[in-house]
Amino acid sequence: MPALILASTSRYRQELLSRLRLPFETVAPEVDETALPGEAPAALAERLALAKARVVAAAHPGAIVIGSDQVADLGGAAIGKPGGHERAAEQLRQMSGREVVFQTAVAVVAPGLAAIERAEVRVRVRELSDAAIEAYLRADQPYDCAGSAKVESLGIALLEAVESDDPTALIGLPLIRTCALLRRAGLEPLA
């Protein structure tokens, strides 16, 4: 069986991929994640997912490499990882009472294959008071998450609804699409 590599150092993606019970290693992709001028959030997620997989695959010939990227889209504008408390509070204030679309792309690059899929997750954020935002940020500290919320923990309390056909996409790796791409690469998760 060829090596399976996750082109990511994200602990969230590692945890998700481990659900498939396939042995894999992780390699940090060296990819500039800066958006191109005028690049839409969905296009940015797709470009970065494929670039991450290709960069790592080039250094590991014969491997099956998974790359993924997520971009939060608020009214057509990309919202990145906040990096700190003040930026996270500002993001949550902007998202309060609005819909945010999380564009999560996954790519698999393997011998004879370079394929990409994208999952879209629509999230309705409830109206948030400054006190609720502060309480949440102190509790979860989601400074490494696009959109400043961890739906897999207390961040779920910020939301009114989540709509997706691939639910793990919101956490950062759409596993339904990942399984389909792995099968195309000749790796059956249930074998």
Side-chain angles (χ1 to χ4, degrees), residues 124-161:
R124 285 195 313 274
V125 180
R126 67 181 184 84
E127 292 285 339
L128 302 172
S129 67
D130 285 343
I133 290 170
E134 285 300 315
Y136 170 68
L137 292 177
R138 279 194 306 275
D140 242 6
Q141 301 179 4
Y143 309 130
D144 62 344
C145 297
S148 302
K150 292 182 185 178
V151 73
E152 66 274 21
S153 59
L154 187 58
I156 199 73
L158 304 172
L159 309 180
E160 289 180 346

Side-chain angles (χ1 to χ4, degrees), residues 49-66:
L50 191 55
K52 291 173 183 180
R54 282 185 168 152
V55 163
V56 172
H60 297 84
I64 297 172
V65 181
I66 301 168

Side-chain angles (χ1 to χ4, degrees), residues 34-48 69-79 101 103 118:
T34 306
L36 301 174
E39 189 172 30
L44 174 61
E46 289 179 358
R47 179 176 61 81
L48 292 178
D69 197 77
Q70 181 179 75
V71 179
D73 178 344
L74 180 63
I79 297 178
V101 180
Q103 305 286 353
R118 183 173 46 86

Side-chain angles (χ1 to χ4, degrees), residues 14-137:
Q14 290 174 30
E15 289 169 9
L16 287 169
L17 187 57
S18 69
R19 292 182 188 183
L20 299 182
R21 300 179 183 181
L22 296 168
F24 70 94
E25 60 183 283
T26 60
V27 174
E30 299 298 326
V31 172
D32 180 359
E33 297 191 20
T34 306
L36 301 174
E39 189 172 30
L44 174 61
E46 289 179 358
R47 179 176 61 81
L48 292 178
L50 191 55
K52 291 173 183 180
R54 282 185 168 152
V55 163
V56 172
H60 297 84
I64 297 172
V65 181
I66 301 168
S68 187
D69 197 77
Q70 181 179 75
V71 179
D73 178 344
L74 180 63
I79 297 178
K81 297 173 185 173
H85 187 87
E86 292 306 316
R87 182 70 186 122
E90 178 59 30
Q91 284 184 353
L92 291 173
R93 281 193 289 275
Q94 290 174 346
M95 293 164 41
S96 178
R98 298 179 67 187
E99 180 179 81
V100 181
V101 180
F102 287 83
Q103 305 286 353
T104 307
V106 59
V108 169
V109 174
L113 178 69
I116 189 161
E117 296 276 343
R118 183 173 46 86
E120 188 174 278
V121 181
R122 295 186 173 278
V123 174
R124 285 195 313 274
V125 180
R126 67 181 184 84
E127 292 285 339
L128 302 172
S129 67
D130 285 343
I133 290 170
E134 285 300 315
Y136 170 68
L137 292 177

